[in-house]
Amino acid sequence: MNYNLVVALTIVLTTALLFFYRGAPFFIFSKREPPAGLKFVEKCIPPLIIATLIVYCLKDINFSARPYGAPHFIAIAATVGLHLWKRNSMASIFGGTILFMLLSRVF
């Protein structure tokens, strides 16, 4: 088989599958109410993902050497404070990330 044909078929098939599995929820639930289980997942998954990311970010802190995890905990506190103040997830995430990057360069 021709290499260019294989590449073109791969792109077309990948595009079709991506369109299908990204669009399937809209096609399935456009005319009816989503099931209760899906509403539960929609409500609970974001906090679980954030908690997982926090644990992952804090797992390698060396508390016996300077800066003793200070940039991490200051950035987490600032992220929580920013989120409680503005109630905007993107502002909280970007603000905390930028603050952490600045603090990790300073300490």
Side-chain angles (χ1 to χ4, degrees), residues 12-94:
V12 168
L13 182 62
T14 304
T15 302
L17 288 173
L18 181 70
F19 179 76
F20 173 73
Y21 79 76
R22 290 284 177 103
F26 297 104
F27 299 133
I28 294 169
F29 299 118
S30 63
K31 296 196 179 8
R32 61 187 176 110
E33 189 70 22
L38 189 61
K39 285 187 176 186
F40 173 77
V41 168
E42 181 183 66
K43 179 182 172 189
C44 293
I45 289 295
L48 292 174
I49 291 172
I50 296 297
T52 304
L53 290 172
I54 289 172
V55 169
Y56 177 77
C57 290
L58 297 179
K59 71 178 178 60
D60 292 328
I61 294 177
N62 185 2
F63 292 104
S64 62
R66 191 176 176 274
Y68 312 106
H72 297 81
F73 292 112
I74 292 170
I76 288 171
T79 303
V80 169
L82 189 59
H83 187 72
L84 292 174
W85 177 44
K86 290 292 187 180
R87 298 281 182 204
N88 185 336
S89 297
M90 293 307 287
S92 305
I93 291 168
F94 283 119

